[in-house]
Amino acid sequence: MRTFYYIVAAENKACTFTPLIIHKTVSHKLKKQHYNQENMMIKLKTVTINKYKSIQQTQIVDIEPDITTVVGMNESGKTSFLTAIAKTNYFNSDEDFKFDITQDYPRNELIDFQHEDEDCDIISCTYSISDELLKEIEDEFGKDVFNVKEFTYTVPYKSDTTTFNGLKADTKKYLELEVNDGYTLTKATKDAIIACEDLKDVADIVGTEEDEDLSVLKTKIKKLVDEGYKFTNSLTGYIAKTWINPKMPKFWYFDDYYPLKGKININELHNNPPTDEKDKTSKALFELARINPKEILDSTEQQYEKYIALLEASSNKITNEIFKYWSTNQNLDIEFRIQDVKNKQNQPEKVLDIRVKSQRHKITLPLDRRSKGFNWFFSFIIWFSKIQADKKSDYVLLLDEPGLNLHASAQADLMKFFEDLAKKYQIIFTTHSPFMVDTENLNRVRTCFETDNGTIISDTIQEKDPNTLFPLQAALGYDIAQNLFISNNNLLVEGPADLIYLTLISSILEANKRTGLKQEFTIVPVGGLDKVSTFISLLRGSKLNVVCLLDTFTDQKGKQKVDDLVRYKIIREKNLHFFDEFANNGNQTADIEDLFTKKDYLKIFNAAFKDDYDKVNLKDLDKDLETILKQINKVIGVKRFNHYRPASKLNQMGVDISFFDEATLDNFENMFKEINKHIK
């Protein structure tokens, strides 16, 4: 049994004490405590790990009040970080979550450390105390007796003691308030009591016959001393034992090794304590259903239905909870079967067969052969129900690579689940998936990476390792991509020049009571004709209305891809438009620049490249070439000039309707009218 060792900040003395039994305080000022589950009384604020497995250098990590995300590659030390935290105050007596110097101290330093006299702190957790808890303490002891906002809890390696640092109660203030709270005492006795350095010194006060309540007061003070931790400051010890320690959050750890087995041997579950994580989950399932495995072992086949009903009732509750956040497949049910079998020694045993039924396909499969993602979620809820059942304690959830086997969309569902859980629990989870990174809350992210000097945990700004940052970069890229598709109606164009021309000319037309592109459309530049087919598939996969407005295909491979999308009904042919439909240039090939009259486009081109090329005139153009861009390329002697520069220049010029020929305006207006027909 571990002995606890507490130190009061700013005091040199310390006393040991044995693990506590919480006692109810006897006080005429004590008010009824109301535990608010929505607001944790004590929250984890900072974790300092000195030496633990792959962590060889002191790591100080700030913990968010809701969700903290630790991003890193496999084998970077993320699990070590979580398990070190878990072992400081695990929610049950699991032997796997107790510190062990041989297993936990960094191996390359272990031999030297074991032969040293000096000890080493494993971990220090700094906690913040809520205003609600401080108010409750104030209600019992009076104003300004205990105003500590945070404290630190430390666990060493060699000593069987742990310490509290930073707790300090004002004994004199408390005694002053106490003696003036209706006790019949002489002034001299009151003064003597107030002068006591510690509560235990009150026992030495000798009063007079006039001190009618001195014995009552001594009895109360003695109770505080006896029922508190043996701190140098007895009042601090009492507050620590009765108010602080019971409110410290417990830690609960869950990883990918906990998923439920498809077949549970009930005999083994009853006869042997759970040894691995899957067995622990099996035990949790029976506890949730309030079934003792021995009950099933002692029952007949005719009685199985009763236990199946209890298991299915628990399962239904779990799946209902899952489906609040599981959009991937809503057509799954859990079925249970109790089977009588023979083991290898031909002895009778009972097995619980857990199967997942697909309502859509009308088939069942063993749970462990079904989606690993669904099994993880199902097992998580089973285990988590144990935490939910504890109404007296706060919890910090430590989740190692949650949803590792979930599809990207299911990981997004899981993140929504976490956001709801964070209303009641602090959550720290590790991941290397970009879909588990909330780009709107990057302040929550800590990076974890391996160096020659062990694991380093830092904020994202400090970390430059590309492998570590990849999930963040990918998450940001995905978020940007998602935010492009903000409209139900999306107009795909080739590039940013198209975007500028369409937006600018549309605005000019609308300002002059003519038809522009309707506001319902979001213009999406895809970055080239070769990417058109990919973007069409992505947007249609999100069930969005997609219309394309493109240069005429000159690349047959790209054209074939788009033709295939039409053939497979991913996009309708009538939603594909090409600029040659509106250019009126007499050719079957056109770019957006061909919607301008040649006169208009040359004005724009010459303004953009006046410092690069001689002025290009109409008479210089080769009319045998199909597009204005090819004609200009021939004049200036290049294969391709920067098509974005003229568009950017036009945007800067601040032109109005008078700048353009009527034919230019008609071409754009006719095109907008046709595109607007596709609004949904």
Side-chain angles (χ1 to χ4, degrees):
M1 181 173 290
R2 179 177 288 273
T3 302
F4 294 80
Y5 181 60
Y6 289 76
I7 299 176
V8 180
E11 297 190 23
N12 295 321
K13 297 180 181 180
C15 301
T16 62
F17 63 93
T18 54
L20 64 117
I21 299 175
I22 300 171
H23 299 275
K24 185 176 180 180
T25 305
V26 179
S27 171
H28 59 274
K29 292 188 294 188
L30 180 62
K31 297 184 179 180
K32 185 178 180 180
Q33 298 180 38
H34 298 280
Y35 189 79
N36 188 344
Q37 292 184 28
E38 295 297 321
N39 297 302
M40 295 176 63
M41 293 294 192
I42 295 177
K43 283 192 173 186
L44 184 62
K45 186 177 180 181
T46 303
V47 173
T48 302
I49 303 178
N50 295 306
K51 297 280 186 179
Y52 182 80
K53 295 189 175 181
S54 64
I55 300 172
Q56 301 176 31
Q57 302 180 63
T58 300
Q59 303 294 307
I60 303 174
V61 184
D62 291 332
I63 305 299
E64 297 294 326
D66 43 19
I67 299 174
T68 304
T69 306
V70 183
V71 175
M73 303 297 291
N74 290 333
E75 306 299 325
S76 61
K78 304 189 301 295
T79 299
S80 296
F81 175 67
L82 289 189
T83 55
I85 298 172
K87 291 179 181 181
T88 63
N89 192 25
Y90 202 58
F91 81 104
N92 64 23
S93 58
D94 193 325
E95 290 294 323
D96 291 337
F97 289 94
K98 294 181 179 179
F99 287 111
D100 182 285
I101 187 171
T102 303
Q103 297 298 322
D104 296 337
Y105 200 84
R107 291 293 175 88
N108 60 338
E109 304 175 33
L110 178 60
I111 295 177
D112 290 339
F113 178 66
Q114 287 181 320
H115 290 84
E116 292 176 356
D117 293 330
E118 293 185 3
D119 203 351
C120 171
D121 292 336
I122 308 171
I123 183 171
S124 295
C125 296
T126 299
Y127 295 91
S128 61
I129 303 175
S130 70
D131 291 339
E132 290 84 355
L133 181 55
L134 290 176
K135 180 62 168 60
E136 290 184 8
I137 297 173
E138 180 183 298
D139 289 342
E140 181 174 355
F141 298 103
K143 189 174 177 60
D144 296 329
V145 173
F146 186 83
N147 291 319
V148 175
K149 289 286 189 178
E150 63 180 53
F151 65 93
T152 300
Y153 179 80
T154 302
V155 182
Y157 267 112
K158 295 180 178 179
S159 174
D160 286 333
T161 60
T162 56
T163 63
F164 271 137
N165 287 17
L167 297 178
K168 183 70 168 72
D170 190 332
T171 300
K172 291 184 178 295
K173 183 68 175 179
Y174 167 68
L175 290 173
E176 180 184 347
L177 294 170
E178 187 66 38
V179 299
N180 290 302
D181 191 37
Y183 292 95
T184 301
L185 301 168
T186 63
K187 184 179 183 305
T189 299
K190 287 183 178 180
D191 291 343
I193 292 172
I194 295 171
C196 292
E197 296 293 330
D198 189 75
L199 293 184
K200 56 182 176 287
D201 298 335
V202 175
D204 299 327
I205 300 295
V206 179
T208 66
E209 293 183 354
E210 298 178 39
D211 296 312
E212 298 177 7
D213 292 332
L214 180 58
S215 62
V216 176
L217 178 61
K218 281 187 173 183
T219 299
K220 178 182 179 179
I221 298 297
K222 184 177 184 303
K223 193 172 184 66
L224 297 182
V225 174
D226 293 344
E227 294 185 359
Y229 295 145
K230 305 307 177 186
F231 278 19
T232 302
N233 183 313
S234 299
L235 182 57
T236 302
Y238 179 80
I239 292 174
K241 182 176 181 178
T242 58
W243 292 93
I244 302 302
N245 194 65
K247 297 292 192 295
M248 285 176 59
K250 299 176 182 179
F251 296 108
W252 178 68
Y253 176 89
F254 191 87
D255 65 18
D256 197 45
Y257 295 102
Y258 282 86
L260 201 61
K261 296 177 179 178
K263 291 183 181 291
I264 299 173
N265 188 307
I266 301 175
N267 295 72
E268 291 181 359
L269 188 66
H270 171 65
N271 295 325
N272 304 309
T275 55
D276 65 19
E277 289 81 358
K278 292 182 180 179
D279 290 336
K280 294 173 186 177
T281 308
S282 300
K283 184 173 182 292
L285 173 63
F286 278 82
E287 291 175 351
L288 181 62
R290 300 182 182 180
I291 299 173
N292 186 329
K294 191 174 187 305
E295 296 177 42
I296 299 178
L297 296 178
D298 294 339
S299 65
T300 63
E301 187 173 347
Q302 289 73 29
Q303 298 171 311
Y304 290 169
E305 194 62 35
K306 176 177 85 172
Y307 301 108
I308 290 175
L310 291 172
L311 288 164
E312 287 182 346
S314 301
S315 165
N316 291 339
K317 184 178 179 181
I318 293 170
T319 51
N320 288 338
E321 184 70 17
I322 291 174
F323 289 150
K324 291 179 185 177
Y325 305 94
W326 182 271
S327 62
T328 303
N329 188 348
Q330 297 274 321
N331 300 297
L332 302 176
D333 287 322
I334 302 294
E335 293 185 351
F336 297 94
R337 303 171 185 173
I338 299 174
Q339 300 174 338
D340 293 296
V341 299
K342 298 283 186 143
N343 62 19
K344 293 180 180 179
Q345 290 74 40
N346 204 35
Q347 295 171 327
E349 291 184 333
K350 296 184 191 289
V351 171
L352 179 65
D353 184 17
I354 308 175
R355 305 183 72 84
V356 181
K357 182 179 181 179
S358 172
Q359 298 174 7
R360 178 178 297 168
H361 302 294
K362 309 300 181 184
I363 62 171
T364 67
L365 289 171
L367 178 63
D368 50 6
R369 287 178 56 191
R370 190 67 202 185
S371 156
K372 290 184 178 180
F374 182 83
N375 191 353
W376 182 93
F377 222 138
F378 188 80
S379 303
F380 175 87
I381 299 295
I382 289 174
W383 256 98
F384 185 61
S385 61
K386 294 168 67 74
I387 304 305
Q388 290 177 306
D390 184 358
K391 306 298 184 183
K392 297 181 180 180
S393 303
D394 286 325
Y395 284 87
V396 178
L397 311 184
L398 306 172
L399 310 178
D400 199 4
E401 296 280 1
L404 185 63
N405 296 297
L406 295 178
H407 183 271
S409 61
Q411 290 185 27
D413 292 339
L414 184 60
M415 290 294 290
K416 295 175 185 175
F417 180 47
F418 287 172
E419 290 292 340
D420 282 348
L421 288 182
K423 296 173 183 177
K424 291 181 65 174
Y425 308 94
Q426 278 185 280
I427 300 173
I428 306 173
F429 74 89
T430 66
T431 188
H432 63 267
S433 169
F435 303 104
M436 295 294 293
V437 177
D438 183 359
T439 56
E440 294 185 1
N441 292 284
L442 289 177
N443 59 293
R444 296 173 171 176
V445 176
R446 311 290 181 264
T447 55
C448 182
F449 57 102
E450 188 178 20
T451 70
D452 293 339
N453 297 315
T455 294
I456 302 296
I457 306 166
S458 73
D459 69 36
T460 59
I461 297 174
Q462 297 171 350
E463 175 49 25
K464 298 181 178 67
D465 176 58
N467 292 326
T468 303
L469 290 182
F470 171 75
L472 301 177
Q473 295 167 336
L476 286 169
Y478 180 76
D479 191 53
I480 290 169
Q482 290 293 299
N483 287 326
L484 285 174
F485 315 145
I486 57 177
S487 171
N488 289 327
N489 300 283
N490 294 274
L491 179 62
L492 268 61
V493 297
E494 181 180 352
D498 300 6
L499 172 65
I500 293 174
Y501 288 136
L502 295 175
T503 304
L504 179 63
I505 304 299
S506 178
S507 299
I508 290 174
L509 288 170
E510 289 177 350
N512 289 274
K513 312 288 186 195
R514 298 181 64 169
T515 303
L517 185 68
K518 286 189 175 181
Q519 296 297 316
E520 289 88 340
F521 269 113
T522 297
I523 304 173
V524 183
V526 301
L529 283 174
D530 58 323
K531 299 178 178 64
V532 169
S533 60
T534 301
F535 269 74
I536 292 173
S537 299
L538 287 171
L539 270 70
R540 289 295 296 167
S542 300
K543 299 180 179 179
L544 302 175
N545 182 33
V546 179
V547 181
C548 296
L549 185 57
L550 308 169
D551 297 342
T552 306
F553 274 110
T554 56
D555 175 28
Q556 289 304 310
K557 188 177 180 180
K559 184 178 184 303
Q560 185 60 52
K561 286 183 179 179
V562 174
D563 289 344
D564 288 343
L565 294 179
V566 174
R567 187 166 72 254
Y568 293 119
K569 299 182 178 180
I570 295 175
I571 189 170
R572 293 180 295 180
E573 187 172 10
K574 69 177 186 179
N575 282 37
L576 294 172
H577 292 279
F578 299 90
F579 292 118
D580 60 78
E581 299 175 43
F582 314 104
N584 290 321
N585 62 353
N587 298 313
Q588 295 183 340
T589 303
D591 307 307
I592 191 172
E593 289 83 0
D594 292 297
L595 268 66
F596 297 92
T597 63
K598 292 180 180 180
K599 173 186 171 185
D600 283 349
Y601 189 72
L602 285 178
K603 285 194 295 183
I604 303 168
F605 174 86
N606 287 325
F609 291 99
K610 64 179 182 179
D611 297 328
D612 300 271
Y613 307 112
D614 293 334
K615 183 179 179 180
V616 179
N617 299 301
L618 280 171
K619 62 180 179 63
D620 301 325
L621 301 178
D622 185 347
K623 297 179 181 179
D624 292 333
L625 297 174
E626 291 182 314
T627 67
I628 184 69
L629 298 180
K630 290 181 179 180
Q631 293 171 1
I632 292 175
N633 286 340
K634 184 177 180 180
V635 174
I636 62 178
V638 299
K639 290 185 178 180
R640 177 184 171 90
F641 65 86
N642 186 341
H643 298 172
Y644 177 75
R645 278 182 59 178
S648 178
K649 184 64 178 180
L650 180 64
N651 196 41
Q652 297 169 11
M653 290 165 65
V655 299
D656 58 22
I657 197 167
S658 63
F659 180 88
F660 302 102
D661 290 339
E662 190 65 24
T664 297
L665 299 171
D666 288 345
N667 289 342
F668 277 96
E669 185 175 36
N670 291 335
M671 180 180 67
F672 291 143
K673 287 178 179 179
E674 189 65 29
I675 299 299
N676 290 341
K677 293 178 182 178
H678 296 286
I679 291 289
K680 286 189 176 180

